[in-house]
């Protein structure tokens, strides 16, 4: 790892993702299965929040994106638990000498309401990342005037600090 002063500053990462709703599949957001008549279509389990989080982590260390490591063309990832993608991104973050300071996310979807599940999602994502829930923010909005009622969208920003950061 470079020891130039630039490597000592915190690094920001940002990722976003969208998936279309599909009836008859489980809805997984942040690794939590939510009660709903439709889930998210995708090659893996369609977990839009964990995909955006994976991209944010990889982006923060300039290590490509989720498709670099887990191409949808590879049948290996069909139906995969998206926690796997986050764990690999986290391993690369650790290898680069960084740890997560905090993350902030916004989900945009017409239904179901995220509010009643936000705490469970926050806890699950924090556990997956091995950090306190207070470092994980889960927010949600409805897509007013966007015409995306049949999709779920997730935006995630992360701040990485050096492992030696106090
Ligand atoms: Mg995706």
């Amino acid at each position: 790892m470079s020891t130039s002063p630039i490597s000592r500053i915190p690094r920001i990462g940002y990722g976003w993702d969208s998936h279309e709703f599909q009836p008859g599949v489980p809805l997984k957001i942040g690794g939590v299965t939510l009660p709903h008549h439709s889930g998210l279509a995708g090659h893996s389990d369609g977990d839009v929040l964990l995909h955006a989080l994976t991209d944010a982590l990889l982006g923060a260390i300039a290590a490509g994106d989720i498709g670099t490591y887990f191409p949808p063309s590879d049948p290996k990832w069909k139906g995969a638990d998206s926690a796997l993608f986050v764990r690999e991104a986290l391993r690369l973050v650790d290898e680069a000498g960084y740890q997560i300071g905090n993350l902030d996310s916004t989900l945009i979807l017409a239904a179901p309401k995220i509010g009643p599940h936000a705490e469970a999602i926050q806890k699950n994502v924090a556990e997956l990342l091995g950090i306190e829930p207070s470092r994980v923010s889960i927010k949600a909005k409805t897509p007013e005037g966007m015409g995306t009622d049949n999709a779920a969208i997730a935006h995630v920003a992360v701040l990485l600090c050096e492992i030696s950061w106090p």
Side-chain angles (χ1 to χ4, degrees):
M1 201 182 95
S2 164
T3 53
S4 68
I6 196 77
S7 71
R8 299 184 196 286
I9 62 170
R11 298 186 66 116
I12 192 169
Y14 166 74
W16 90 279
D17 194 26
S18 71
H19 281 260
E20 196 170 10
F21 278 103
Q22 180 186 315
V25 297
L27 175 60
K28 274 183 83 177
I29 294 186
V32 177
T33 304
L34 306 185
H36 198 51
H37 53 74
S38 295
L40 295 172
H43 191 66
S44 64
D45 63 6
D47 195 320
V48 71
L49 180 59
L50 295 191
H51 294 182
L53 172 56
T54 302
D55 266 358
L57 290 170
L58 294 172
I61 53 168
D65 61 30
I66 192 167
T68 312
Y69 303 89
F70 310 101
S73 53
D74 189 338
K76 195 159 66 176
W77 310 120
K78 189 163 171 51
D81 179 351
S82 295
L84 205 139
F85 308 152
V86 176
R87 282 195 201 100
E88 175 60 11
L90 198 57
R91 191 187 67 76
L92 293 167
V93 163
D94 182 69
E95 212 173 77
Y98 285 91
Q99 61 186 349
I100 296 173
N102 73 301
L103 76 89
D104 187 18
S105 71
T106 303
L107 290 157
I108 305 165
L109 69 174
K113 283 204 175 310
I114 295 299
H117 309 288
E119 207 179 311
I121 295 170
Q122 179 194 36
K123 240 183 102 183
N124 198 66
V125 171
E127 202 177 303
L128 178 60
L129 296 172
I131 57 178
E132 306 93 323
S134 62
R135 296 184 190 223
V136 176
S137 157
I138 307 292
K139 314 190 302 299
K141 306 180 81 70
T142 50
E144 303 305 320
M146 285 177 61
T148 56
D149 284 8
N150 201 38
I153 296 163
H155 295 263
V156 175
V158 297
L159 188 71
L160 301 186
C161 304
E162 265 198 303
I163 281 172
S164 58
W165 198 267

